[in-house]
Amino acid sequence: MVTLRDNIVKGNSASGGGGLVATAGTIVLSGNTFEANKGIVVRVEGAEARLTGNTFKNNPSETVVALFQSTASLRNNTFQDNSGRGLYFGATGEIIQNSFRNNRGGGVRLGSWDLDFSGNVLQGNSAHFGGGLYIQGHTSATIHDNIFTGNSATQGGGFFIDGVPTISPPAITLSHNLFEGNSATESGGGGVAAMGTYTITGNIFEGNTSGGSGGGLVLNPAGFGGVASATLLGNTFRRNSAAQGGGLKIGGRNITMGENLILANSASSSGSGIYFKDTTIRAKNDIIANNVTSWEAVHLSDSTLNARHWTLADNGNYALSTAGSSTAILSNTLVAYQDLAGLWGPGISADHTLFAATGISCGGGASCTNSLTGNPRFINPGSGDYHIGPDSACLLYTSDAADDN
């Protein structure tokens, strides 16, 4: 075991390791400062690495720390103001409670199995793909309780996940992260996920922007393979914006959604809340409200939707529309306060829908049966709470509405 503690490593240059190279045994780095070094500053390959409380700053390197085929633990390190990527992690282990700020080649790039990535702050980083975090290849990772803020990229301002179909698609869990104020010029301000299997639960996507699609999140962006399956449960998409799919844009073979809040997002064209493309979706108990566009809150393009207990309210002109070969089967749905129409387009079949103050309930070829009108009695829509109150007309209409909404 080699331990380096409380040293200053500054102004060195080498192609393989401007500060340190380790290829065997165990290397422990604690409390060191690495500054203004050229080349890969710390390179570990085939060794065990433990990095705790180190600072890597102002290094003019394409990659500052690179770990290959290693077992590694990184805790409480700071990567700041480096010219390139802060960290490449091709190892097994953990990245916990580190800070990645203002790195101009991205915060972190992952290409590893069995990784715990948690409690980190990724702020103000920039890159072509994945300003904060880039995941490539057959990575299996749990990414939870991190903060992604103010990162920028062409695609995936907060994070970008790109599977490699010739190897094995990634299996990624995203839970209880905050994605706020990230931006992308093309797609996915908060994040982009391509080929793979994803479980996305309890995250907040807020105030992210995209010049293309998916202000908060894109699944299966054009040109990057296809999402095998994804589960989105209990997430909040709020005040995100994009040209298309203000809150999120989803494509993939098997998508499950439930109890997501999609509020106050905006799009300059279709799908201010959600844009579905070439997708099969099963959904329950999602609230899609107060999203802004001249078109609709939810747009289906060549997609199949089966949704129960959805709330669609205050979304401007239209709540939901279909295009192409899309079909939508809705049951026990609440559609309220839409200016022009609630459900619009061929292929829509809605049963037991409560409509409130909506121009045309069903139009453009939509079919609605067993419909009712009444006051939904939202708890506090002014503050974004579109759950129904105890005196809602919904409770007179279906026995399980109280449990589901």
Side-chain angles (χ1 to χ4, degrees):
M1 177 185 294
V2 176
T3 300
L4 284 79
R5 181 176 290 112
D6 300 328
N7 299 285
I8 297 175
V9 182
K10 185 174 182 179
N12 301 286
S13 177
S15 60
L20 181 147
V21 176
T23 58
T26 300
I27 180 73
V28 177
L29 302 179
S30 177
N32 302 286
T33 297
F34 296 83
E35 183 177 3
N37 300 286
K38 294 181 180 180
I40 298 175
V41 178
V42 173
R43 179 186 178 98
V44 178
E45 186 167 359
E48 180 181 354
R50 304 174 194 168
L51 281 66
T52 304
N54 301 284
T55 298
F56 302 87
K57 64 180 182 180
N58 297 315
N59 294 285
S61 306
E62 182 177 346
T63 299
V64 178
V65 174
L67 307 174
F68 302 94
Q69 298 176 348
S70 306
T71 299
S73 172
L74 280 75
R75 288 178 174 259
N76 300 304
N77 300 284
T78 297
F79 297 79
Q80 184 168 340
D81 298 319
N82 297 290
S83 297
R85 182 183 304 112
L87 170 67
Y88 174 80
F89 195 91
T92 297
E94 60 181 20
I95 303 173
I96 296 176
Q97 294 182 344
N98 301 278
S99 173
F100 301 88
R101 300 177 189 269
N102 303 318
N103 298 289
R104 294 180 294 282
V108 183
R109 181 166 181 165
L110 303 179
S112 58
W113 285 100
D114 299 327
L115 172 67
D116 181 0
F117 188 92
S118 61
N120 302 286
V121 175
L122 300 96
Q123 180 178 13
N125 303 287
S126 59
H128 185 58
F129 292 129
L133 175 64
Y134 183 107
I135 301 177
Q136 184 176 32
H138 49 284
T139 298
S140 174
T142 300
I143 301 167
H144 63 98
D145 299 291
N146 302 283
I147 297 173
F148 297 77
T149 179
N151 302 287
S152 61
T154 302
Q155 297 196 46
F159 74 94
F160 186 94
I161 305 173
D162 181 15
V164 180
T166 57
I167 301 175
S168 176
I172 306 295
T173 297
L174 292 173
S175 65
H176 300 95
N177 301 285
L178 171 64
F179 299 90
E180 183 175 18
N182 303 288
S183 62
T185 56
E186 291 184 5
S187 66
V192 170
M195 173 167 264
T197 300
Y198 302 97
T199 302
I200 303 171
T201 60
N203 302 281
I204 297 174
F205 297 82
E206 182 157 2
N208 303 288
T209 61
S210 170
S213 58
L217 175 69
V218 174
L219 295 177
N220 187 22
F224 287 95
V227 170
S229 65
T231 300
L232 291 85
L233 298 175
N235 302 285
T236 297
F237 296 84
R238 183 189 296 118
R239 290 191 289 275
N240 303 286
S241 63
Q244 185 184 79
L248 61 160
K249 181 178 179 180
I250 297 180
R253 292 193 293 276
N254 295 293
I255 308 297
T256 300
M257 298 178 60
E259 298 184 1
N260 298 286
L261 300 178
I262 302 166
L263 306 172
N265 303 284
S266 62
S268 57
S269 61
S270 295
S272 56
I274 314 174
Y275 190 106
F276 293 115
K277 173 66 174 174
D278 298 323
T279 311
T280 299
I281 316 104
R282 296 187 66 86
K284 183 179 179 181
N285 293 344
D286 299 296
I287 295 177
I288 304 159
N290 198 28
N291 298 286
V292 179
T293 181
S294 58
W295 299 87
E296 70 289 286
V298 179
H299 180 80
L300 276 73
S301 176
D302 298 315
S303 297
T304 300
L305 170 67
N306 191 316
R308 297 179 58 230
H309 297 287
W310 261 21
T311 295
L312 298 156
D314 280 331
N315 293 300
N317 287 338
Y318 299 89
L320 182 149
S321 72
T322 58
S325 60
S326 295
T327 60
I329 300 174
L330 308 171
S331 60
N332 292 324
T333 304
L334 169 55
V335 179
Y337 311 126
Q338 301 296 147
D339 295 338
L340 297 181
L343 308 177
W344 188 271
I348 298 174
S349 177
D351 185 50
H352 288 89
T353 306
L354 177 75
F355 291 99
T358 291
I360 300 172
S361 298
C362 284
S367 173
C368 296
T369 56
N370 299 310
S371 301
L372 180 75
T373 59
N375 193 330
R377 300 289 184 186
F378 295 124
I379 291 176
N380 191 348
S383 64
D385 190 347
Y386 283 86
H387 294 89
I388 59 174
D391 54 350
S392 172
C394 295
L395 302 183
L396 304 175
Y397 198 45
T398 175
S399 61
D400 60 354
D403 294 330
D404 284 326
N405 288 293

